[in-house]
Amino acid sequence: MSDFKVPFIDLQPRYAEERDEILARIDRVLSLGHLVLTQEVGEFEEAVCRYTGARHAIGVNSGTDAILLGLWAAGIGQGDEVIQPPVSFVATTGATVHVGATPVFCDVGPDQNIDPDRIEERITSRTRAIMPVHWTGRMCDMLRILEIADRHGLAVIEDSAQSMGSRQNGRHGGTFGLAGGISFHPLKNLNALGDGGMVLTDDDAVAEKIRLYRNHGLQARDDVVMFGINSRLDVLHAEVLKYRLTRLDEVIAKRRANADLYRRLIRAPEVVIPAEPAHHEDSYVMFIVQAERRDALQTHLTAAGIQTLVYYGTPLHLHKAAAGLGYKRGDFPVAEAQCDRVLALPHHQYLTADQIGHVADAVNAFYGA
Ligand SMILES: *Cc1c(COP(=O)(O)O)cnc(C)c1O
């Protein structure tokens, strides 16, 4: 257990609550001798289609693979440019590089998501796709992004790793573009026992390619129609995810209530919490604020028994791995300024109102608010 009075996440109470159900499911699947791509995966895929409204959902090994396979199935590769924000987990850019394409960064807005007003100035004759990231589960303005993509004939591949259950105008994250990649990493709202992911798409040809590619290009046991990889969603994960999907709305409702309470209680004007736009329902995988004197605030909160994390202090274009892409500090001023201010507060479905009150009091006290 965490030594913090308010831990950042709490996987132990989650397991305590779900233990009987999960162990029974694992026992049932193992007793049946089901191990690889048996019916549990297909059942979970169908359940995700029903939940999100996507026509196809294809279970894969991770969110990273889901994004990579989405790009790959869209035909994006060598010589192609993919516009994306420098505020994300590194997988967005890593997946782009590993299909052979070139990531082209585009600054973000105050909400930390790609700024639709700046996308067009990043388009060149080589641009093939836009990859918006719904950071922290906060939806990008997908209607505007789709409109820009349509106007320029670009594909949209969503990094919807964090947006399972997020909606704009009632439509789910990951279902706006040609494909969307979802992550079931243990720290996401819908989480497997380890790594897992899924591609959402309405496009039959894209779905067919990804189904083949995730499983060695095998049409049948002895019929290889293309060379693929091994990126299957494991059966035990799928079985557990089937159960957890039935509880996802409950998880998101709790997280949204937590976020509301934080917003009401944090008074210090030095702390900026982007508002949720009308017609958005964000899932709050994380609760990230932008705070003046962030590092000192973090030290103060740690002393008060509150565990926080900087998510992340370095924008993607300034990592060592990006050196060859030719960016420098100053290229994306909004993202860079945010990276000096972002702080993720404890945020999970087992937080109590008292704990949230304790965090807010400590934040307000730090600024004398
Ligand atoms: C978690 C995450 C990924 C990667 O997902 P994995 O399942 O860990 O591979 C990609 N992009 C974003 C924005 C993420 O948060």
Side-chain angles (χ1 to χ4, degrees), residues 62-64 67 88-89 91-92 133 135 159 161-162 183-185 188 195-196:
S62 67
T64 306
I67 304 163
S88 184
F89 179 58
T92 313
V133 179
W135 188 237
D159 180 339
Q162 299 193 1
S183 167
F184 304 126
H185 181 279
K188 312 295 193 221
D195 283 309

Side-chain angles (χ1 to χ4, degrees), residues 152-166:
H152 295 271
L154 307 175
V156 173
I157 310 293
E158 294 171 74
D159 180 339
S160 36
Q162 299 193 1
S163 66
M164 184 67 188
S166 301

Side-chain angles (χ1 to χ4, degrees), residues 43-298:
E43 288 163 1
F44 176 55
E45 290 173 341
E46 279 167 29
V48 170
C49 285
R50 281 194 299 275
Y51 182 83
T52 60
R55 184 170 160 84
H56 302 280
I58 305 115
V60 296
N61 245 329
S62 67
T64 306
D65 276 8
I67 304 163
L68 188 147
L69 292 176
L71 286 167
W72 173 83
I76 290 156
Q78 203 73 44
D80 298 334
E81 294 180 353
V82 180
I83 296 176
Q84 54 195 251
V87 172
S88 184
F89 179 58
V90 62
T92 313
T93 304
T96 307
V97 168
H98 281 285
V99 294
T102 304
V104 170
F105 295 113
C106 170
D107 211 349
V108 296
D111 63 354
Q112 294 202 271
N113 282 336
I114 194 165
D115 183 351
D117 286 332
R118 295 182 176 278
I119 291 175
E120 282 185 294
E121 63 200 51
R122 306 298 291 151
I123 294 175
T124 73
S125 59
R126 287 183 300 279
T127 308
R128 289 284 313 283
I130 305 171
M131 184 175 276
V133 179
H134 308 298
W135 188 237
T136 73
R138 177 184 294 136
M139 288 298 296
C140 297
D141 187 344
M142 288 310 295
L143 302 184
R144 282 202 57 204
I145 292 172
L146 287 182
E147 185 263 315
I148 295 167
D150 279 351
R151 191 139 32 86
H152 295 271
L154 307 175
V156 173
I157 310 293
E158 294 171 74
D159 180 339
S160 36
Q162 299 193 1
S163 66
M164 184 67 188
S166 301
R167 299 161 175 91
Q168 180 181 3
N169 295 316
R171 190 164 160 194
H172 281 257
T175 66
F176 289 83
L178 179 59
I182 307 265
S183 167
F184 304 126
H185 181 279
L187 295 184
K188 312 295 193 221
N189 282 356
L190 178 59
N191 55 309
L193 303 173
D195 283 309
M198 191 157 271
V199 187
L200 305 182
T201 182
D202 285 346
D203 188 291
D204 295 344
V206 164
E208 173 65 14
K209 275 193 202 169
I210 292 173
R211 279 188 198 288
L212 284 169
Y213 201 68
R214 74 165 170 187
N215 191 28
H216 305 292
L218 286 165
Q219 189 85 267
R221 243 194 91 249
D222 201 12
D223 182 12
V224 179
V225 295
M226 57 177 284
F227 292 112
I229 58 173
N230 177 356
S231 183
R232 300 176 295 234
L233 178 63
D234 280 316
V235 168
L236 291 177
H237 290 317
E239 182 61 22
V240 170
L241 285 162
K242 247 166 56 186
Y243 163 60
R244 286 184 171 163
L245 179 60
T246 65
R247 306 192 55 193
L248 179 62
D249 283 339
E250 195 187 309
V251 167
I252 292 175
K254 181 64 169 53
R255 284 168 172 266
R256 291 179 55 78
N258 288 350
D260 278 349
L261 193 54
Y262 267 132
R263 280 181 205 282
R264 283 210 302 279
L265 297 180
I266 295 176
R267 287 186 308 270
E270 293 87 347
V271 176
V272 173
I273 306 170
E276 185 175 278
H279 314 301
H280 282 219
E281 257 180 84
D282 299 336
S283 58
Y284 293 96
V285 173
M286 292 189 282
F287 191 78
I288 294 184
V289 301
Q290 299 166 33
E292 281 176 28
R293 292 186 283 133
R294 186 264 322 274
D295 293 343
L297 172 65
Q298 186 176 35

